[in-house]
Amino acid sequence: MKIILLVDMDAFFASVEQRSNPALRGKPMAVIGSGHRTVITTASYEARAYGVRTGMNVYEARKQCPHLILVVGNNDKYTSTCSVLEGVYRVYTPIVEIYSIDEAFLDITESAHLFGGPLAVGARIKEDIRRMFGINATVGMGPNKLIAKLASDLDKPDGLRWISPDEIQDVLDPLPVKELWGIGKRTTERLETLGIRTCGDLGRAPVSMLRNKFGILGERLKAMGMGLGPSEVHAEEEEVKSVGHSRTLSEDVTTLQEIGQALFQLSEKVGSRMRKYAVTGKTISVVIRYKSFETFSKQSRLGMPTNDTHVIYRNAMSIITAIRLREPVRLLGVSLSDLHDDGEQISIFEEHRRRQRLFTAMDGINDRYGNATLTWGPCVRKSSDSVISPAWRPGGIRKSL
DNA sequence: TCTGGGGTCCTAGGACCC
DNA sequence: TCTGGGGTCCTAGGACCC
C-alpha cells in the first residue's frame, strides 16, 4: 500500500500577493489578468467569504464584494516560488510530480518513516513553506491520488489530513459524488438521474449498469466510489500532446484583416514555444468564439509537421477563410497537436534552413531580452501578456519529446 | 461592465479501404 | 432487390481539471 501526499497551496496567487504587499493581508482581494475582459484567477479566502470565485468576471465579483481589491497577476513571482517549492519537496522524497503551479504529488511510501510517519512529513512540509514563503498550504494524504486529493479538499485551508485505508469507507459513504476529483457538474447530474448521490451509492452501484450508461468511464466511476484510484506519481515530466494559444480580443472583430492580425500573433506564440522545445506538429486547430459566446473549432491535417510561424499562420488563415462568420468574433485560438520531435531534422530546402536560422536568432534574442523584443510586423501591436493560470506547468514541455 | 487560458481524455460519426 | 463487417483515419465537440 502506497502513501501518496498532495501539497496544495491555499489561494496560491492571492497568498503570494498578500505576502509581498502587507496592505493586502487580511483583506478581500483577488488576482486577475490584464485587460478589461478578464476574470478572477484566484480569490483570497477573505474574498471567498463574500462569494467571490475563480472564473467570475470583475463585475460579478464586485457585486459580491464591493470593496474587493483587485491585483493584476505577476507570473514571475508565482513561477519562481513554484521552482523553489520543488526543492522543498525533494528533501522528503525523490518521487515528486509537479501537477500544476500550485499542486504537487509526492510518493512518500519509502521515506515517511525516516521523518516519523506521514503526518510528520506533511507537518514539516507545511512548516517549511510557511517559513520560506509565509504562505499556507494544505497537505492531504492517502493510499492513492484520489484519496490524497480528497483529504486535502476536505481539510483546506491550512489543512493536514491523512485518510488511512481503513477510514476510506466511512469518509466516502455520505460524501456527495461531485466532491470526487474527476466528477464534475455533468456527471453529477447524470448520476443523480440514476439515483446515485453519494460515493457510497456509487461504490455499491452495479458495474454493468454504470458501464452501460457511461462506457469506459463507468468502470472508473465504480472504482472511484470504492476509493480506488491511480497511485503512480510521475516523477518524469509527461510528453506534451498539444501546444496552443488563445486570446479574448480586447474588442470583438469583424474584418478578415483584424482576424489575420490576431491569428498571426497567436501563430507566433505557438511557433516560438514549439521551436523552443524542438517539436513540430501535424494537426492545426483554430478555435473561434463569437460575441454570443458560441464557441467552435475547425482543424486540419498538414502535409508536413511544422513549427514555422508563417506556415502555422497560413494554415490557420485558410481554415478561417473557409468559414462564413456569422457574428463578430470575441476569441481566437490556434493550437497544434500530433507533435513530433524536431531534434535532428535536416531541412532539404535552403529556404527552410535560412528561415530556421532566422527563428533561432530571433528566439535567442527574445529569450535574453524579454518575450517580444524582436517580432514580426503584425505582432508589434500591444500583445499584452495575459496572466498565467494555475494550470500552467512550470517545466513547460520536455526537451526530449 | 458579463463571462480567461492552458491542457488531457473520451465519444461519435463519416470517409475510406479491404 | 434489401442491402457484410471490420479496421483505421479524421473531424467536431464535450467533460473535466487547474
Side-chain angles (χ1 to χ4, degrees):
Chain A
M1 187 72 75
K2 286 190 181 177
I3 305 169
I4 306 302
L5 182 152
L6 173 70
V7 187
D8 189 338
M9 299 294 151
D10 298 332
F12 185 43
F13 296 179
S15 299
V16 169
E17 295 302 334
Q18 287 181 312
R19 188 63 199 174
S20 62
N21 179 358
L24 300 173
R25 293 183 200 167
K27 304 248 175 75
M29 55 83 59
V31 174
I32 53 172
S34 58
H36 68 289
R37 289 170 138 180
T38 184
V39 298
I40 305 295
T41 304
T42 314
S44 71
Y45 275 88
E46 296 85 354
R48 292 180 197 196
Y50 287 87
V52 179
R53 297 283 176 269
T54 295
M56 270 183 182
N57 62 57
V58 170
Y59 172 73
E60 189 71 21
R62 282 210 196 280
K63 213 159 68 183
Q64 299 291 321
C65 177
H67 51 298
L68 182 67
I69 304 168
L70 297 173
V71 177
V72 174
N74 176 344
N75 306 355
D76 295 343
K77 275 195 258 187
Y78 317 140
T79 57
S80 63
T81 304
C82 180
S83 306
V84 182
L85 280 169
E86 185 174 354
V88 172
Y89 306 146
R90 288 190 180 282
V91 169
Y92 300 96
T93 174
I95 311 172
V96 174
E97 176 180 349
I98 303 300
Y99 182 74
S100 72
I101 197 168
D102 67 343
E103 282 178 65
F105 285 104
L106 282 62
D107 184 337
I108 57 166
T109 311
E110 301 296 329
S111 56
H113 72 277
L114 301 173
F115 302 94
L119 286 168
V121 172
R124 284 181 63 155
I125 289 176
K126 280 165 61 71
E127 184 47 39
D128 289 347
I129 294 171
R130 196 169 9 246
R131 197 181 57 246
M132 295 175 70
F133 304 103
I135 62 181
N136 291 331
T138 293
V139 169
M141 286 165 287
N144 58 53
K145 288 176 167 177
L146 181 78
I147 299 301
K149 177 80 175 161
L150 179 62
S152 103
D153 286 344
L154 292 178
D155 217 39
K156 65 177 58 166
D158 199 18
L160 172 63
R161 181 155 185 195
W162 177 29
I163 301 180
S164 66
D166 41 323
E167 292 174 78
I168 292 178
Q169 206 48 60
D170 287 344
V171 173
L172 288 184
D173 220 52
L175 191 78
V177 291
K178 71 161 186 305
E179 302 292 322
L180 284 183
W181 190 35
I183 301 187
K185 191 167 175 291
R186 265 305 275 152
T187 306
T188 299
E189 285 168 9
R190 289 176 66 192
L191 286 169
E192 173 91 42
T193 67
L194 302 173
I196 296 170
R197 286 174 195 84
T198 65
C199 298
D201 296 339
L202 187 57
R204 285 186 296 269
V207 69
S208 55
M209 183 261 277
L210 291 172
R211 195 168 35 215
N212 223 305
K213 301 281 183 187
F214 295 94
I216 289 284
L217 178 63
E219 314 203 3
R220 282 223 310 272
L221 288 171
K222 166 88 178 175
M224 288 163 72
M226 297 191 299
L228 303 172
S231 61
E232 193 65 37
V233 173
H234 299 108
E236 296 289 312
E237 186 116 17
E238 299 282 294
E239 289 180 3
V240 148
K241 308 275 173 45
S242 66
V243 177
H245 237 91
S246 64
R247 196 157 65 92
T248 294
L249 307 165
S250 58
E251 307 296 337
D252 297 341
V253 298
T254 50
T255 70
L256 217 48
Q257 203 220 334
E258 294 168 306
I259 288 169
Q261 192 153 6
L263 278 186
F264 194 94
Q265 292 175 7
L266 294 167
S267 302
E268 168 61 5
K269 291 248 187 202
V270 171
S272 67
R273 250 165 77 217
M274 294 179 77
R275 295 191 295 275
K276 185 165 188 170
Y277 299 113
V279 294
T280 56
K282 206 160 187 283
T283 299
I284 181 171
S285 160
V286 173
V287 180
I288 296 156
R289 169 128 76 215
Y290 284 142
K291 181 183 167 63
S292 67
F293 233 70
E294 184 193 337
T295 308
F296 60 98
S297 65
K298 288 256 181 289
Q299 69 181 58
S300 71
R301 300 267 303 158
L302 273 30
M304 290 264 290
T306 191
N307 56 21
D308 181 324
T309 295
H310 293 264
V311 175
I312 295 170
Y313 167 69
R314 270 202 309 277
N315 282 279
M317 210 50 193
S318 74
I319 287 175
I320 282 276
T321 50
I323 302 169
R324 215 177 66 79
L325 296 167
R326 304 196 327 265
E327 281 184 44
V329 172
R330 174 189 178 88
L331 168 142
L332 287 167
V334 172
S335 128
L336 267 83
S337 54
D338 190 7
L339 301 186
H340 300 256
D341 197 336
D342 193 28
E344 309 300 317
Q345 202 174 347
I346 303 292
S347 162
I348 301 163
F349 306 104
E350 178 58 23
E351 151 81 27
H352 187 189
R353 275 209 295 273
R354 272 214 316 273
R355 210 202 260 303
Q356 282 185 330
R357 282 199 298 270
L358 176 59
F359 280 139
T360 305
M362 283 180 67
D363 291 343
I365 288 167
N366 288 336
D367 270 352
R368 205 154 353 152
Y369 299 107
N371 235 334
T373 305
L374 239 191
T375 187
W376 306 92
C379 290
V380 170
R381 295 234 172 156
K382 34 122 209 228
S383 72
S384 56
D385 268 348
S386 50
V387 78
I388 201 164
S389 110
W392 176 86
R393 280 161 193 269
I397 308 173
R398 284 189 60 162
K399 269 280 160 53
S400 56
L401 196 85

